Amino acid sequence: MNTTKPALWTPGDWNALFGFGTNILVNLLVLTGLLRYVLKMPDELVFGRILPAVGLMLFLSTMYYAWLAYRLAKQTGRTDVCALPSGVSVPHMFVVVFVVMLPISLKTGDPVKGWEAGLVWVFVQSFVLMIGAFIAPVIRRITPRAALLGTLAGVSVAFISMRPAMEMFMTPAIGLVCFAIIIAGWFGGFRYFRGMPAGLVAIAVGTTIAWAASGSGAGFGGMSLQGLGDAVASFGFSVPLPAVNHVFSGMEFLGIILVTAIPFGIYDLVEAMDNVESAAAAGDNFPTTRVLTADGAVSLVGCLMGNPFINAVYIGHPGWKAMGGRIGYSAATGVGVLLLSCFGIVAVLMALVPVVAISPILLYIGMLIGAQAFQETPRSHAPAVVLALTPHLAAWGKLQIDNALAAAGTSAATVGLDKLAQTGVLYEGLAVMSGGAILVGLVLAAIATFVIEHDYDKAAAFSLAGAVLTFFGFMHGEAIGVGSSPMVVIGYLTVAAAFFVCGRFAVPAIPKPEEEASMASGGAVPRPAE
């Protein structure tokens, strides 16, 4: 083992701190808005109980991953090891609010009951993660990189990139300017005054434009002194307090919660594996079992302290590493978030900084991760990566349709699937394809990759896995259940049989020289023992 002590802070950590820190800040602002304006929770619950618990969970998570990076740097003697980014799982933030907490709050007329149901949801998911951690390394070893990174790219394009991009063009005078600052600094290598981080410059410029526009009556910006004054008036200090009694109170909703908690726990399992694979592709090999166990453990601690949101390793490790992030950025983010959450500063920031000034940072991360799926896999596997994107695009499209119809006071079923199909909206196809999108993308891309490699036995094995997962509702369905989507199950079984026959009788194709060169240059990075 190398005895040299790794540096706890490097100049590049400033860039990563402002980039990753603002990413976390955006999520905190969105989370707070959901609690206050969607669930109608009182501010004393939001700022006095939930946010301090969220801050504690994020502090424990970021400190642990900083330690894990320190350990890897010390073992290898490398100076470029970057800590895994982590925080509240963004997709699950919306799921637990709209699928679990909101319906129960409306049914009972008590937002506290909704909060308690959210705590139980995280409680169940935490154990799914910790138990699944021990089988994840096996899955990671047998799954091709194009499948792991491809389905991650799908999440990145559909659910990380699209919303920030739309927000930018809704207020282009701020969004496009901030985006230009970001890409010039982080893609173009442009150095700002006295080496100021591009993320900080973008936020400062965007905030200045927003306040100037609001003050001049230009019609955009959306900032107000009254809103800022109200936020400052609510400034206070709160510490995380145990909420074990609320967790047990929420157990009355366990039957409802299991329908979503188990499949989304599996989603987290696969997503964490994808993100560990993404870090490995960038040169940092972290043990999958430790990562998943840590996610489950810190989520459980946060849950028992009152946090209804799950922790997750984030997409974006290569981006923060490319900015120069190493170990310190993760630990510093954790300390900062804990202070923001306990002192109620989040409310002030919600009134001070326009979200559109932060959105370009998320778009940058989405661009980087989407590109990595193509850059870190063999060129011949590119079709498999594209295939992995499609379930997530279907999920994004279905979500847009559902939200639009809900705003009009109707639904796809009420309008009629046949009428939608007549206008070119194949809603049924979107629903089937998007169910369990991350698993669907992984399985389809794995099948395609092994077909490209002429390994029909493995393609048949993944087709059979797709049939089993679909039969139990983990893929191509909205809920766990026996016999879900039977026609899709039959389809996967037929494909598995066909590939098995191909493996027995097909004449192996001779790879072309350019295919061999591509495979040699883009092969999988060796993984450490886990």
Side-chain angles (χ1 to χ4, degrees):
M1 179 183 291
N2 193 292
T3 57
T4 304
K5 289 187 176 181
L8 296 179
W9 190 267
T10 67
D13 279 312
W14 285 111
N15 266 324
L17 172 62
F18 284 105
F20 179 54
T22 50
N23 186 357
I24 294 292
L25 176 60
V26 169
N27 294 339
L28 282 178
L29 296 179
V30 172
L31 179 154
T32 304
L34 291 172
L35 293 172
R36 297 177 75 191
Y37 305 125
V38 175
L39 296 172
K40 310 295 182 184
M41 290 188 176
D43 282 353
E44 56 268 22
L45 177 59
V46 174
F47 296 108
R49 296 297 301 274
I50 297 177
L51 284 183
V54 172
L56 175 63
M57 182 188 75
L58 296 184
F59 172 77
L60 294 174
S61 174
T62 52
M63 293 299 289
Y64 176 77
Y65 289 122
W67 174 81
L68 207 60
Y70 179 89
R71 179 174 172 269
L72 179 61
K74 191 171 183 180
Q75 286 176 338
T76 60
R78 290 167 44 214
T79 59
D80 66 338
V81 174
C82 176
L84 289 167
S86 65
V88 172
S89 173
V90 177
H92 290 202
M93 183 194 307
F94 292 96
V95 171
V96 74
V97 167
F98 288 103
V99 178
V100 177
M101 298 170 73
L102 182 60
I104 290 174
S105 294
L106 294 175
K107 183 178 179 180
T108 62
D110 185 358
V112 174
K113 287 293 184 182
W115 170 50
E116 291 174 342
L119 296 179
V120 175
W121 196 76
V122 174
F123 185 84
V124 173
Q125 279 201 301
S126 299
F127 283 98
V128 172
L129 279 173
M130 288 188 282
I131 294 170
F134 296 95
I135 63 170
V138 176
I139 298 173
R140 186 178 166 216
R141 279 195 294 270
I142 66 176
T143 306
R145 175 168 285 184
L148 291 169
L149 296 185
T151 195
L152 190 64
V155 175
S156 177
V157 170
F159 294 101
I160 303 296
S161 302
M162 288 299 294
R163 184 180 179 89
M166 291 186 290
E167 289 173 343
M168 281 169 42
F169 282 94
M170 288 172 66
T171 315
I174 300 173
L176 283 177
V177 171
C178 294
F179 182 61
I181 292 170
I182 291 295
I183 61 173
W186 289 341
F187 279 135
F190 184 83
R191 291 182 59 82
Y192 292 101
F193 180 70
R194 296 187 179 275
M196 289 179 64
L200 179 60
V201 175
I203 291 173
V205 170
T207 301
T208 301
I209 295 173
W211 280 96
S214 296
S216 65
F220 65 92
M223 316 308 292
S224 72
L225 290 175
Q226 181 179 349
L228 181 59
D230 292 342
V232 173
S234 66
F235 189 85
F237 178 73
S238 302
V239 296
L241 297 172
V244 179
N245 57 324
H246 290 286
V247 175
F248 284 107
S249 295
M251 289 293 178
E252 64 178 293
F253 306 109
L254 185 61
I256 301 172
I257 290 166
L258 285 176
V259 175
T260 54
I262 292 178
F264 274 95
I266 294 172
Y267 169 100
D268 273 337
L269 196 70
V270 176
E271 184 180 44
M273 286 192 302
D274 288 350
N275 292 332
V276 171
E277 182 70 16
S278 177
D284 295 337
N285 285 291
F286 293 102
T288 310
T289 299
R290 282 179 177 266
V291 170
L292 289 168
T293 304
D295 271 353
V298 298
S299 296
L300 183 60
V301 172
C303 159
L304 296 175
M305 300 301 288
N307 168 36
F309 302 101
I310 198 84
N311 186 77
V313 172
Y314 272 8
I315 293 174
H317 168 277
W320 310 128
K321 184 170 184 173
M323 291 180 199
R326 298 296 178 256
I327 298 170
Y329 90 97
S330 178
T333 299
V335 172
V337 168
L338 186 61
L339 293 175
L340 287 174
S341 302
C342 290
F343 280 94
I345 303 173
V346 173
V348 178
L349 292 176
M350 286 183 72
L352 181 64
V353 179
V355 173
V356 69
I358 304 173
S359 296
I361 297 174
L362 299 182
L363 179 57
Y364 162 81
I365 293 298
M367 294 164 64
L368 202 71
I369 299 307
Q372 186 195 40
F374 293 96
Q375 294 167 345
E376 300 296 338
T377 56
R379 290 177 58 189
S380 61
H381 294 178
V385 173
V386 174
L387 184 61
L389 304 179
T390 56
H392 303 282
L393 297 177
W396 183 84
K398 179 178 179 295
L399 181 64
Q400 301 305 303
I401 295 169
D402 287 343
N403 289 345
L405 292 175
T410 186
S411 66
T414 303
V415 173
L417 300 185
D418 55 338
K419 291 183 179 179
L420 289 173
Q422 290 170 9
T423 63
V425 179
L426 303 180
Y427 186 87
E428 184 178 3
L430 291 175
V432 174
M433 192 173 185
S434 65
I438 197 163
L439 286 173
V440 175
L442 186 146
V443 169
L444 290 178
I447 293 171
T449 300
F450 286 125
V451 170
I452 290 168
E453 295 297 320
H454 316 298
D455 194 338
Y456 294 105
D457 286 347
K458 289 181 181 178
F462 269 90
S463 300
L464 183 60
V468 173
L469 290 169
T470 302
F471 182 78
F472 289 105
F474 294 111
M475 289 170 46
H476 303 294
E478 296 183 355
I480 293 175
V482 177
S484 298
S485 305
M487 296 307 296
V488 181
V489 173
I490 292 172
Y492 275 117
L493 290 175
T494 304
V495 168
F499 285 142
F500 180 78
V501 172
C502 288
R504 304 284 78 76
F505 301 106
V507 177
I510 300 175
K512 297 177 182 179
E514 61 268 23
E515 290 177 343
E516 293 177 338
S518 173
M519 290 168 62
S521 65
V525 175
R527 303 184 180 104
E530 301 183 67

